[in-house]
Amino acid sequence: MAAGAEITNFTIDSVRRAIAERQTTASALAQDFYTRIRQEDPEIGAFLTLSEERAFAQAARIDQMAAAGAPLPPLAGVPVAIKDVMVTRGVRTTAGSKILENFVPPYDCTAVVRLEAAGAVVLGKLNCDEFAMGSSTENSAYHPVHNPRDKSRVPGGSSGGSAAAVAAGMAVATLGSDTGGSIRQPASFCGVVGLKPTYGRVSRYGLIAFASSLDHIGPFAKTVKEAALVLRTIAGRDPMDSTSADVPVPDYVAELEKPVQGLKVGVAREYFGDGLDPEVRAAVEAAIQKLAELGCEVVPVSLPHTEYAIPAYYIVATAEASSNLARYDGVRYGFRAPKSRTLSEMYRRTRDGGFGIEVKRRIMLGTYALSAGYYDAYYLKAQKVRTLLTRDFDEAFKKVDVIAAPTCPTPAFRLGEKVNDPLAMYLADIYTVTANLAGVPGISLPCGENHEKLPIGLQLFGRHFDEATLLRVAHSYERTA
Ligand code: GLN
């Protein structure tokens, strides 16, 4: 099968069917995707490492099953790729950082194990902001990622490589991580679907920690159904992560077809305030109107503490990051600055040379917020705000089944536009950080384009562990689009 136009049309189902019906093999398909990556990626920059050996070994296993006429697992032969914050045994894992430049993990992330157990073929590791800190992928220590829809623009971040790889047809589905929006925002910027599940729904075992109480793993795909399929595969209790929840995982794909008539869709005015681009507002309002036409009831709700979400997020996230990143000391992992004379000089020079500017900024902010004398004023207060935000969602979800909002205040911005203004970069996370603080699931799906043909994302929030309703509403909206 030739690489090129048709490769971008593959879905999880069509790959599986093509292999089951022996129209292609998993190995040939992997080869086609690598060809496409070699053609396209020099201009996009989505991949940091290709894992060809591992991919072809897995593809050969699938091909043997197909040849033997054995029943194929749900993701049989599906070419996927993984954000480089999830560890992969024997395959370099950098977290987008120089400090892990040569780090080859001795074990696998649970989500990756589950994808492979379902038959997926892992093509490689995807570029991201260093330690997932950022909103544009410009904080990668390696190279930026260009948005496939307009290469002068960012793909969003921090999972920019994960969104761009799907948008450019270099993988059928990918995994990303979302601590404050890093799945939903790049999905919105690149015109694909991105899902942040409920906190605890997907094991974080093998996810390189940024802020452990906010970190989530989730899928990117071109359609809601494929995101549902990937979620079904990776979700569920894992004894290796004590925060993974022992809550039954529904068959999200089967649930998609249930009717949405009568479901209540909340709209919070706090998500439509100052700073929202008029074209984004119009597209999201039109999407909500579509949901009404599908038989959903649109209900106003209030999430009154939303305006405090950004400061609370940037305190909790940096506090946890400052603690999590203490482990990179030049002794246990990755980079060690050469020629140090004392231990403390070695620590200092390793961390100075190994971390980029944004990571250092966050370690300093977080250390400050946790220090004696400031702890109550910053960290404790942020935790209280977090509780208020969670209660806002709890109250709203007494009245409605999902909440609809924009994913981001604007479409994709230009590369370089915000790099020297970290505060502007932080403020643009306003609509996504709330779901991380509250732990509720959120999805972003395309809902149109602006006058420059840049994609716009519709965001839906759901109740804790109710990804099924979220996906169902998203799926029925997608079918009308
Ligand atoms: N943009 C946010 C930040 O920089 C979110 C990042 C993320 O979700 N990993 O922290």
Side-chain angles (χ1 to χ4, degrees):
M1 193 174 312
E6 76 264 30
I7 209 173
T8 60
N9 295 329
F10 271 121
T11 63
I12 293 178
D13 281 345
S14 68
V15 166
R16 196 169 168 280
R17 210 174 321 117
I19 293 172
E21 292 171 3
R22 315 292 301 274
Q23 292 157 11
T24 186
T25 62
S27 308
L29 205 59
Q31 196 63 63
D32 288 346
F33 273 82
Y34 280 124
T35 303
R36 181 162 175 88
I37 290 167
R38 292 207 168 81
Q39 280 165 359
E40 299 293 320
D41 207 40
E43 290 200 355
I44 307 272
F47 281 85
L48 290 176
T49 305
L50 299 180
S51 48
E52 282 166 288
E53 206 178 303
R54 183 165 171 158
F56 285 116
Q58 168 81 344
R61 275 193 288 275
I62 300 296
D63 290 336
Q64 272 168 15
M65 292 169 82
L72 294 179
L75 300 183
V78 175
V80 299
I82 311 293
K83 184 180 183 182
D84 211 17
V85 291
M86 281 163 251
V87 298
T88 38
R89 184 176 171 166
V91 176
R92 181 178 84 127
T93 301
T94 68
S97 181
K98 216 183 131 185
I99 212 159
L100 290 178
E101 191 164 9
N102 300 311
F103 176 54
V104 179
Y107 71 104
D108 274 321
C109 177
T110 297
V112 177
V113 171
R114 290 185 178 179
L115 277 185
E116 285 187 331
V121 173
V122 174
L123 299 173
K125 305 299 293 291
L126 296 160
N127 203 354
C128 55
D129 285 303
E130 184 175 2
F131 288 104
M133 297 176 189
S135 309
S136 68
T137 315
E138 291 163 297
N139 296 335
S140 164
Y142 298 95
H143 47 80
V145 178
H146 297 259
N147 189 322
R149 300 286 291 263
D150 174 346
K151 294 189 180 116
S152 70
R153 293 180 187 263
V154 302
S158 63
S159 315
S162 306
V166 170
M170 297 189 288
V172 172
T174 59
L175 292 184
S177 68
D178 189 314
T179 305
S182 281
I183 292 176
R184 291 159 289 154
Q185 184 256 25
S188 157
F189 281 12
C190 293
V192 299
V193 176
L195 170 68
K196 181 200 86 69
T198 309
Y199 187 79
R201 183 54 105 183
V202 175
S203 167
R204 290 181 294 108
Y205 182 66
L207 171 65
I208 294 176
F210 160 10
S212 310
S213 78
L214 299 161
D215 292 343
H216 302 67
I217 291 175
F220 287 88
K222 285 198 291 285
T223 63
V224 173
K225 184 179 174 193
E226 292 168 280
L229 209 49
V230 176
L231 178 65
R232 191 178 72 185
T233 308
I234 62 175
R237 170 79 187 152
D238 172 15
M240 300 306 281
D241 172 6
S242 63
T243 65
S244 73
D246 202 359
V247 175
V249 178
D251 182 349
Y252 297 115
V253 180
E255 300 261 325
L256 289 179
E257 302 305 330
K258 286 195 187 160
V260 296
Q261 277 88 353
L263 286 179
K264 295 199 171 78
V265 177
V267 179
R269 85 186 131 68
E270 291 84 357
Y271 283 74
F272 293 85
D274 287 348
L276 178 59
D277 175 283
E279 287 183 283
V280 174
R281 173 196 295 270
V284 172
E285 284 175 352
I288 293 167
Q289 179 58 36
K290 277 256 180 69
L291 292 174
E293 285 159 22
L294 288 168
C296 296
E297 188 186 336
V298 177
V299 179
V301 291
S302 177
L303 298 164
H305 297 95
T306 304
E307 64 175 302
Y308 307 111
I310 288 286
Y313 168 79
Y314 276 95
I315 288 168
V316 175
T318 57
E320 292 187 24
S322 70
S323 160
N324 272 324
L325 271 57
R327 73 191 69 178
Y328 304 101
D329 55 8
V331 176
R332 286 169 288 189
Y333 309 95
F335 173 74
R336 176 186 300 173
K339 296 199 198 103
S340 304
R341 278 159 308 177
T342 64
L343 183 65
S344 68
E345 189 184 330
M346 191 278 286
Y347 286 155
R348 211 170 338 105
R349 291 181 43 206
T350 295
R351 289 168 68 84
D352 186 33
F355 289 137
I357 174 170
E358 181 62 26
V359 171
K360 287 179 191 161
R361 177 165 26 238
R362 300 218 186 181
I363 292 172
M364 287 191 281
L365 282 170
T367 305
Y368 180 81
L370 288 177
S371 56
Y374 295 103
Y375 183 93
D376 288 2
Y378 294 107
Y379 184 72
L380 201 63
K381 194 136 176 210
Q383 292 291 20
K384 289 180 179 166
V385 172
R386 185 173 190 176
T387 301
L388 294 174
L389 281 157
T390 308
R391 282 191 201 147
D392 283 358
F393 277 105
D394 289 346
E395 282 305 309
F397 283 126
K398 286 182 186 156
K399 293 193 218 123
V400 297
D401 300 293
V402 298
I403 295 170
T407 308
C408 309
T410 66
F413 45 91
R414 289 187 191 284
L415 282 148
E417 192 178 315
K418 292 194 208 275
V419 267
N420 296 319
D421 190 351
L423 192 58
M425 195 82 98
Y426 296 174
L427 289 172
D429 295 336
I430 175 69
Y431 302 142
T432 50
V433 296
T434 49
N436 301 75
L437 288 162
V440 297
I443 191 169
S444 178
L445 68 157
C447 72
E449 294 173 345
N450 78 349
H451 69 285
E452 294 174 292
K453 298 229 165 301
L454 297 172
I456 295 171
L458 166 69
Q459 181 172 214
L460 298 170
F461 301 115
R463 294 189 182 102
H464 285 110
F465 295 103
D466 192 13
E467 289 86 355
T469 304
L470 200 65
L471 287 160
R472 172 149 62 108
V473 174
H475 178 68
S476 50
Y477 170 76
E478 183 186 63
R479 273 198 296 206
T480 69

